[in-house]
Amino acid sequence: MKHQIAVGVMTAPKIEAVIPGPHSTPEHPTFLLKNVRIGIGFHWDRLEDQEFEGTLEIRDNADGTQTAINRLDVEDYLSSVITSEMSATSSLELLKAHAVISRSWVLRPIISPSTCTDKPDLSDPDRHVVWYERDAHEGFDVCADDHCQRYQGITRSFSPQVKQAIDATRGQILVYGGEICDARFGKCCGGMTNTYRHCWDNKDLPYLQHVDDPYCSQATPQVLDQVLNDYDRETTDFLEWTVEYSQQEMQEMVSENLRTDLGQITDLQDVERSQSGHLSKLRIVGTQKEFTIGKELEIRRTLSRSHLKSSAFRVERLDIVDGIPQRFRLCGRGWGHGVGMCQIGAAVMGEQGHKFQSILHHYYKDAEIKKIY
């Protein structure tokens, strides 16, 4: 059984493509896209030239831009996802685990489409609680950036282990209650994984609950070198991190990101926080008005010029004058939303000898591995 997938690789005023690509052969034709933007809106945001297998479609959009869409088989797509999400030198068991969850995530809407119609309520002018799902895309199944799964074609080196991991798990997915699991994953959970409902729509998925994860704090430099791609290695303080803003910086940043003036910021108050410590709703108190934001990604975007590493942080109000802090310090842990498999923790498990089945059962409670083709 084969499943084709359409990946929206990039949108730009004009797509620059080189056909055939530098590594093209008659058996495996390729194409090169120039100036592909990766890490959109995050602190590693940059442009790259990337090479892809499969077919290329360039779509003209109503706003005058163009979108490059790559169509290919799901198993070929997975080979790229694994080496885009992490280094090809990762342990075989981690690569196998990632193959299963990435296959599950991308096949779920194709084979087990969701019937959930829950959408954010944006009717309250003093409240902005939103989440971002894959149905934001039109004309293709998934995008190629962190919003969905990183997919960078054959740009980064493969290893024999990547092919071995794909072949060894071919057709294997995670299932729960007869449906394919929505197998989310993140870079580093910071010690405990987050729950699905604190990041996306308001439902509980039994296999995406809080899981104590002592492994991510045990990562050695050797493990990090194996699992992190080149640009991910630029971020070194993801297990525990601190950012600090002056009152003026906080006021300007919040006003710009929320497009409303709250006045001087007097407090950042928890409204809802998951058991893992990740905030899902936060009240920002100003001298002119209060504003509630959520879920976790919106909090990370509002309190940063790009994104905070995670929403698992506590707030320190410093140098208070007449009830108004002159500085705010955010002390956090982890990198990403924290839901599902922690890539750093799973890398440690792989290095310690855990098989991929054990890794998956640790992060996705009561889910089963099933071979469907």
Side-chain angles (χ1 to χ4, degrees):
M1 180 186 299
K2 284 195 173 184
H3 294 281
Q4 286 276 315
I5 187 170
V7 186
V9 177
M10 65 179 296
T11 296
K14 183 174 178 57
I15 302 294
E16 295 183 67
V18 177
I19 304 173
H23 299 95
S24 185
T25 67
E27 296 78 19
H28 299 285
T30 70
F31 61 89
L32 181 79
L33 293 177
K34 301 182 75 66
N35 297 319
V36 179
R37 188 179 174 192
I38 66 171
I40 298 173
F42 289 94
H43 58 278
W44 60 91
D45 195 328
R46 66 196 64 194
L47 298 177
E48 286 190 338
D49 293 347
Q50 295 183 350
E51 190 173 4
F52 300 86
E53 295 180 318
T55 62
L56 170 65
E57 171 191 339
I58 297 180
R59 186 184 67 195
D60 294 322
N61 302 315
D63 62 358
T65 62
Q66 294 183 315
T67 296
I69 300 173
N70 182 200
R71 299 184 186 275
L72 73 167
D73 182 73
V74 163
E75 296 297 310
D76 295 330
Y77 164 79
L78 291 176
S79 295
S80 173
V81 166
I82 290 175
T83 52
S84 301
E85 284 286 349
M86 60 185 63
S87 172
T89 59
S90 299
S91 70
L92 178 60
E93 296 306 309
L94 171 58
L95 295 174
K96 288 179 182 177
H98 220 302
V100 174
I101 62 174
S102 291
R103 185 183 292 113
S104 302
W105 185 84
V106 78
L107 286 179
R108 175 180 165 88
I110 298 173
I111 298 177
S112 301
S114 173
T115 57
C116 179
T117 58
D118 188 27
K119 298 294 182 183
D121 179 5
L122 303 179
S123 61
D124 188 341
D126 297 325
R127 185 175 181 270
H128 187 69
V129 178
V130 299
W131 54 90
Y132 302 89
E133 274 292 3
R134 61 197 295 170
D135 60 5
H137 303 307
E138 294 183 4
F140 50 87
D141 299 310
V142 293
C143 70
D145 206 35
D146 294 79
H147 174 266
C148 290
Q149 297 187 115
R150 290 181 183 175
Y151 170 72
Q152 296 160 357
I154 61 172
T155 307
R156 286 175 168 79
S157 62
F158 287 87
S159 74
Q161 286 200 138
V162 173
K163 186 178 187 311
Q164 186 179 351
I166 296 292
D167 291 345
T169 64
R170 181 176 177 82
Q172 293 186 36
I173 57 170
L174 283 178
V175 297
Y176 182 91
E179 290 193 351
I180 301 178
C181 291
D182 191 347
R184 308 291 173 127
F185 57 89
K187 191 65 66 183
C188 177
C189 68
M192 180 183 287
T193 66
N194 199 1
T195 52
Y196 175 90
R197 67 177 297 271
H198 287 94
C199 295
W200 297 286
D201 53 300
N202 301 308
K203 65 180 180 183
D204 285 312
L205 296 180
Y207 53 86
L208 289 179
Q209 298 298 315
H210 304 292
V211 174
D212 287 325
D213 187 10
Y215 299 103
C216 65
S217 63
Q218 299 176 33
T220 63
Q222 178 185 3
V223 170
L224 295 180
D225 283 345
Q226 289 177 358
V227 71
L228 296 180
N229 274 324
D230 46 5
Y231 54 89
D232 282 334
R233 292 191 192 123
E234 298 169 11
T235 303
T236 57
D237 58 343
F238 52 81
L239 187 61
E240 293 184 348
W241 50 266
T242 300
V243 295
E244 191 168 307
Y245 303 113
S246 68
Q247 171 63 229
Q248 182 176 351
E249 288 173 326
M250 177 67 78
Q251 182 178 355
E252 291 176 351
M253 184 171 58
V254 168
S255 296
E256 178 181 329
N257 289 334
L258 295 182
R259 295 182 176 84
T260 185
D261 185 7
L262 306 186
Q264 290 184 293
I265 307 302
T266 62
D267 204 359
L268 303 174
Q269 300 174 348
D270 293 7
V271 176
E272 183 178 75
R273 188 186 287 269
S274 71
Q275 183 179 334
S276 64
H278 290 78
L279 277 162
S280 58
K281 293 178 186 175
L282 176 75
R283 181 181 296 109
I284 304 176
V285 182
T287 53
Q288 295 186 19
K289 63 183 294 189
E290 298 181 2
F291 201 93
T292 298
I293 58 174
K295 293 185 178 181
E296 67 90 32
L297 183 56
E298 201 66 14
I299 294 171
R300 292 164 62 195
R301 286 177 170 174
T302 301
L303 300 183
S304 174
R305 293 297 183 187
S306 59
H307 291 65
L308 290 177
K309 292 184 179 69
S310 82
S311 68
F313 62 85
R314 57 183 174 81
V315 180
E316 296 180 1
R317 301 162 69 245
L318 305 173
D319 304 334
I320 300 174
V321 177
D322 296 329
I324 299 176
Q326 302 307 297
R327 293 185 297 131
F328 290 88
R329 180 182 296 145
L330 310 184
C331 303
R333 56 181 176 78
W335 182 5
H337 52 66
V339 178
M341 190 182 82
C342 170
Q343 291 173 317
I344 300 298
V348 172
M349 292 185 72
E351 285 299 301
Q352 292 182 355
H354 293 269
K355 298 301 183 182
F356 81 95
Q357 297 94 334
S358 175
I359 295 173
L360 294 174
H361 290 141
H362 173 69
Y363 290 106
Y364 306 94
K365 294 299 185 183
D366 300 321
E368 299 178 0
I369 303 171
K370 181 179 179 182
K371 185 176 178 64
I372 60 172
Y373 59 83

